[in-house]
Amino acid sequence: MTTLSILFLLASTPPLIPLPQELAWNAGSFELNRNTGLINKGATNNTLSRLREATDLILRNQAGTSSIVLEQVPGMPDEAYTLEVTPLQLRLTSSSDAGFFYGIQTLKQLNQNGRIRAVKIKDAPRFGWRGLMLDESRHFFGPKFVRKYLDGMAAHKFNNFHWHLTDDGGWRMESKRFPELTRVGAFRKEQGVEWDYGNLWFPGPSSSEKLYGGFYNQDELRSMVDYARVRHINIVPEIEMPGHSLAATASKPELQCEPPPGVMAEYLKGTNSQAPTMMCPGKDSTIEFCKNILDETMALFPSKFIHIGADEVDKTLWRQCKHCQARMKANNLKDEHELQSWFVRQMDAYLASKGRRLIGWDEILEGGLAPGAAVMSWRGISGGIAAAQANHDVVMSPTSHCYFDYSYDTIPTSLVYSYEVIPAALTGEQRNRVLGGQANIWTEWLSTPAEVESMTYPRALALAETLWTQPERKSWSDFEARLNAYYPRLEQMKIAFRLGAPKLDPDVLNLAANKEWKFTRPDIAGAQLVLEDGTVVTGATVPATNKEVKVYFQLPGGRRGDPAVGRVVNLTHTTALNQPGLLSMTIPWTKNTAPPLSEFENAKQAEEASISLVARPTKPYALRFKGGLVVDKPGRYTIGIGSDDGSVLYLDGQKVIDNDGAHPYIERTVTIDLQPGVYPMDLVYFEAGGSSRLEFFWTPPGGTRQAIQSFRHQRSGSSDSDSLAGSGGSI
Ligand code: ACM
Ligand code: ZN
């Protein structure tokens, strides 16, 4: 018996995710073994197959000393089930195959080595749309991974797999009618690991370039639909139009606007890597193409909803194209937004004529929403609100909570869990327009299955519960405890979930104040705390050393989570500022890491004895604030820096916060014990391009977060402005 299964046997209350609506644990347990009987009162063969998978037993269809009873009960809501377990009987009821399926998923989570704890469960989902979206255009992962992804979804009661099959990065659905879509559009020139939007090129199969990509043939697509169907997952295919269509326009240049300003021709020759990515809605042939490709899509995918994308359409070329302008004139369309809306209406009517429904990203609201269209709200929730108020169905997937390609720093699991899917602005009947929600996994920066999985899990579990469980049943602390106990099951499923870092207390050990590290030790089932060299940490503390410490959670199989990095400093302080105010210095700087302090010392001429940066430095540049941090009471401080791009905080010449690297705005905080006094301080920041921002803040003992310094450089039109504000803390 493995360590894992011993743990399972000992755990008396198995963690259930998502939490059922009604749940009462009882004493005793039901044992699954070869003598277990089966009494089937109306369940289908599909349900019996799923039960066989869940129990690992071929059950005889006759009563045993203890029996599983499957009973179809007409009138229960679709997807609902009850599960009643006593030592003698395990009774699962539902009116539908879907309800039996969800009952069996719960049964799998209850199963602890053949022992099912006695329980009474009554369950049904809160929302009918519980989705995950996977982008396979930017990176192609292939059927084996997608089946595994569907398995993970099914186990947590997701029921819509939104499959992003076409975009600028590649076309992944075989078309019999337009084979060039995959012959050319499924294989881009190998770019290396880094995604480079400006360097997408589809040189075609006869090119000598190294190609990268892949696609699903129609048999594979049909078989994926079947695989999902028996797991009660509907596949919503997304065929992007009229934007995000580079793979299509590269394969079929006639889909482009005319007269092309030479760009497409140059692109095809390889002399210009910046090809336009939108189709021409002015040409009748484009409309025909879109309808034809939707015909093939509908033939492959039985989904009621067909997703046509329609987000982020660059309309520049439409303004210059004679076909687009003629279309606008003929249809009285006042601008290009109305042209986009006209295009979406064509597709909406076409899908409706075939008994299907159109769904698109919230840009389909611009220029007027097509009559039957459903809206997927991604740029916040306002699109969802507007559509629901206009009596359209909506699926919520705002960037704030549902973009799982964003880092865990930006969207932590707890934030996903806190998401309330129905916007507060909706009332009465409008609330029923919210079909549910989904998370989106865009893959520009995720090129391997393991990366996709670690961005998906555990956040998908938080979303699963948010979409399934009624809000009054939800509690983050209860969920977190179940999640910590649930990781071994993800391990069993071989899902490369993200395992976070332990929490060090404090993060920065000031030898002038502390002698040991403390750990907050969440009870992750089976995991040990280890140091970098593998030493297992058994107690709650580790004595201070004079160097940095890294601590990890390590799972029984040896996999480690993210490190908690504890810094060690020994801070001396003075009682008075040893220099007037705060000095700022800027130097030109072109690397993607912050310069060491010595770089500034070597560039004294750049020094300004002022905290206001009047003239914006020539970019790219680095900036140093030098002064003293004034601490007036002893205790534990949380200090933070947020920056775009990187920043580093030094106290008394020792690195305290490392927020280095070229990156979007990211905040990092540390806790540190400080005595009253003035601490020599250096804050180094660099800006490598794009927008720039630096925030320096702290939370004093017993206080609330206060800004110490705030620096922003904003670009508005052609005039640039800098602002530097100091408040709250003192320096
Ligand atoms: C999207 O993220 N462009 C829908
Ligand atoms: Zn055009």
Side-chain angles (χ1 to χ4, degrees):
M1 194 181 274
T2 65
T3 322
L4 271 183
S5 48
I6 291 168
L7 278 165
F8 266 74
L9 199 64
L10 295 179
S12 61
T13 307
L16 300 182
I17 298 177
L19 189 68
Q21 312 298 357
E22 290 179 31
L23 169 81
W25 297 107
N26 291 314
S29 58
F30 180 91
E31 215 166 299
L32 276 172
N33 55 44
R34 280 195 308 263
N35 299 322
T36 304
L38 175 67
I39 302 168
N40 182 12
K41 301 181 186 171
T44 62
N45 283 340
N46 183 30
T47 293
L48 293 172
S49 304
R50 303 284 81 79
L51 181 67
R52 191 170 311 132
E53 275 171 18
T55 58
D56 231 353
L57 290 171
I58 297 172
L59 299 165
R60 286 164 302 145
N61 202 351
Q62 63 185 61
T65 26
S66 62
S67 298
I68 294 179
V69 180
L70 299 176
E71 188 173 345
Q72 205 207 11
V73 177
M76 285 173 70
D78 197 29
E79 299 194 308
Y81 70 94
T82 70
L83 181 61
E84 200 167 341
V85 182
T86 65
L88 290 180
Q89 197 180 74
L90 188 157
R91 183 165 173 269
L92 177 58
T93 74
S94 173
S95 69
S96 67
D97 234 30
F100 280 118
F101 183 76
Y102 295 130
I104 290 168
Q105 300 320 300
T106 302
L107 180 58
K108 278 190 187 172
Q109 294 185 357
L110 288 167
N111 186 352
Q112 298 174 298
N113 263 23
R115 204 178 286 265
I116 319 278
R117 182 166 168 194
V119 71
K120 196 168 171 182
I121 290 172
K122 187 167 178 225
D123 206 8
R126 179 177 178 209
F127 290 108
W129 187 300
R130 306 179 299 278
L132 292 181
M133 186 224 71
L134 179 65
D135 166 13
E136 277 213 276
S137 173
R138 274 54 175 264
H139 288 284
F140 178 74
F141 303 105
K144 185 161 171 259
F145 176 66
V146 173
R147 281 195 291 274
K148 187 181 176 204
Y149 207 71
L150 291 168
D151 289 343
M153 289 179 66
H156 304 106
K157 304 187 173 87
F158 284 99
N159 67 350
N160 272 294
F161 176 55
H162 172 175
W163 205 359
H164 190 75
L165 286 164
T166 74
D167 205 304
D168 302 324
W171 185 284
R172 309 298 177 206
M173 179 183 87
E174 183 193 25
S175 162
K176 298 286 190 199
R177 187 158 182 161
F178 307 110
E180 62 272 37
L181 287 171
T182 51
R183 197 173 58 231
V184 177
F187 299 94
R188 63 177 182 254
K189 178 178 181 285
E190 169 84 80
Q191 289 180 319
V193 182
E194 294 287 288
W195 169 257
D196 181 357
Y197 230 118
N199 191 23
L200 292 172
W201 183 32
F202 297 84
S206 52
S207 158
S208 58
E209 296 288 349
K210 187 157 186 248
L211 299 177
Y212 174 83
F215 67 93
Y216 294 97
N217 68 36
Q218 295 208 343
D219 284 342
E220 288 170 323
L221 292 168
R222 273 187 285 268
S223 117
M224 200 63 81
V225 168
D226 283 344
Y227 191 88
R229 183 177 45 75
V230 299
R231 287 160 180 78
H232 293 276
I233 295 172
N234 173 52
I235 299 186
V236 182
E238 181 181 354
I239 306 296
E240 275 261 25
M241 54 182 78
H244 279 286
S245 295
L246 180 59
T249 55
S251 309
K252 296 178 67 62
E254 66 274 20
L255 293 170
Q256 274 294 309
C257 280
E258 253 183 56
V263 181
M264 196 66 190
E266 288 168 20
Y267 164 77
L268 289 170
K269 274 192 281 171
T271 51
N272 180 353
S273 62
Q274 295 276 359
T277 66
M278 73 300 272
M279 301 178 190
C280 173
K283 293 181 189 170
D284 290 342
S285 55
T286 305
I287 306 300
E288 266 321 289
F289 165 80
C290 290
K291 289 179 178 173
N292 288 336
I293 204 71
L294 287 178
D295 281 338
E296 278 193 273
T297 307
M298 287 186 278
L300 290 164
F301 296 95
S303 174
K304 182 87 177 167
F305 283 103
I306 304 289
H307 205 301
I308 65 146
D311 57 317
E312 300 181 310
V313 182
D314 176 353
K315 302 180 179 78
T316 319
L317 289 186
W318 294 2
R319 292 191 192 105
Q320 304 161 19
C321 167
K322 64 180 183 195
H323 300 288
C324 287
Q325 294 306 311
R327 176 82 76 200
M328 286 167 60
K329 196 150 177 237
N331 292 278
N332 248 336
L333 307 174
K334 76 171 186 312
D335 59 19
E336 284 71 21
H337 291 303
E338 290 197 358
L339 177 58
Q340 148 114 346
S341 171
W342 176 89
F343 172 85
V344 175
R345 278 169 206 268
Q346 305 308 303
M347 298 308 129
D348 182 59
Y350 190 68
L351 290 171
S353 76
K354 307 284 176 184
R356 307 295 182 97
R357 291 190 56 197
L358 179 148
I359 187 164
W361 300 109
D362 56 46
E363 285 90 335
I364 66 173
L365 281 153
E366 293 163 6
L369 197 50
V375 169
M376 200 165 261
S377 190
W378 74 280
R379 296 175 301 176
I381 61 173
S382 56
I385 293 171
Q389 286 174 340
N391 290 325
H392 285 259
D393 288 335
V394 301
V395 173
M396 302 302 292
S397 61
T399 50
S400 56
H401 295 78
C402 296
Y403 268 48
F404 287 3
D405 54 323
Y406 290 15
S407 73
Y408 278 83
D409 286 333
T410 313
I411 303 187
T413 307
S414 55
L415 184 71
V416 178
Y417 194 79
S418 74
Y419 180 48
E420 171 44 49
V421 180
I422 301 184
L426 296 182
T427 55
E429 194 48 34
Q430 296 165 356
R431 296 168 64 86
N432 296 332
R433 290 304 195 168
V434 179
L435 303 179
Q438 72 173 37
N440 302 326
I441 296 92
W442 300 104
T443 60
E444 286 93 332
W445 305 103
L446 309 175
S447 58
T448 66
E451 284 169 343
V452 170
E453 287 184 341
S454 73
M455 296 306 268
T456 304
Y457 293 93
R459 290 188 287 202
L461 303 183
L463 185 67
E465 187 149 309
T466 290
L467 295 172
W468 180 277
T469 308
Q470 295 295 342
E472 59 276 13
R473 290 277 292 154
K474 287 178 65 197
S475 142
W476 166 252
S477 58
D478 179 63
F479 174 80
E480 194 180 27
R482 276 181 285 124
L483 178 61
N484 285 334
Y486 190 80
Y487 286 121
R489 190 167 288 278
L490 291 182
E491 282 272 279
Q492 277 183 333
M493 296 173 78
K494 300 195 167 26
I495 289 176
F497 60 91
R498 176 178 188 262
L499 183 62
K503 177 82 186 98
L504 284 173
D505 187 23
D507 308 291
V508 178
L509 195 71
N510 179 9
L511 291 173
N514 317 84
K515 296 289 168 260
E516 62 187 15
W517 307 94
K518 284 196 176 61
F519 298 97
T520 323
R521 193 190 258 277
D523 200 8
I524 293 183
Q528 292 179 311
L529 274 176
V530 297
L531 302 179
E532 181 116 76
D533 64 2
T535 308
V536 177
V537 180
T538 48
T541 60
V542 162
T545 59
N546 57 3
K547 59 181 199 305
E548 180 177 283
V549 59
K550 282 190 181 161
V551 198
Y552 305 79
F553 285 120
Q554 183 170 292
L555 296 167
R559 188 159 81 86
R560 288 180 178 183
D562 300 340
V565 181
R567 287 180 198 289
V568 182
V569 292
N570 196 353
L571 301 182
T572 51
H573 52 271
T574 57
T575 50
L577 286 174
N578 56 6
Q579 58 192 34
L582 190 69
L583 297 174
S584 72
M585 314 170 198
T586 58
I587 53 170
W589 186 251
T590 52
K591 294 189 185 146
N592 279 340
T593 55
L597 296 174
S598 57
E599 288 286 335
F600 292 92
E601 305 295 353
N602 297 337
K604 279 265 190 290
Q605 73 280 7
E607 195 166 316
E608 297 173 50
S610 158
I611 63 165
S612 84
L613 284 171
V614 178
R616 184 171 69 82
T618 321
K619 284 186 162 192
Y621 65 94
L623 175 63
R624 173 191 188 182
F625 292 113
K626 180 180 179 187
L629 184 69
V630 182
V631 169
D632 53 20
K633 61 177 162 177
R636 181 147 307 174
Y637 287 74
T638 300
I639 305 181
I641 40 181
S643 60
D644 167 3
D645 290 281
S647 54
V648 181
L649 178 72
Y650 300 87
L651 291 181
D652 193 18
Q654 297 161 72
K655 193 183 280 187
V656 171
I657 307 181
D658 189 344
N659 193 11
D660 205 355
H663 56 65
Y665 184 77
I666 291 176
E667 290 189 348
R668 294 201 190 281
T669 60
V670 296
T671 50
I672 183 168
D673 291 335
L674 296 172
Q675 296 298 324
V678 180
Y679 292 80
M681 179 206 100
D682 286 282
L683 179 54
V684 179
Y685 164 73
F686 79 97
E687 169 52 26
S691 59
S692 76
R693 182 175 172 197
L694 174 67
E695 307 283 343
F696 179 31
F697 50 91
W698 71 1
T699 305
T704 52
R705 174 171 158 159
Q706 301 166 8
I708 301 176
Q709 283 292 322
S710 171
F711 166 77
R712 275 184 207 227
H713 164 238
Q714 282 155 339
R715 270 189 276 187
S716 53
S718 58
S719 69
D720 293 344
S721 69
D722 293 318
S723 65
L724 180 67
S727 62
S730 46
I731 37 185

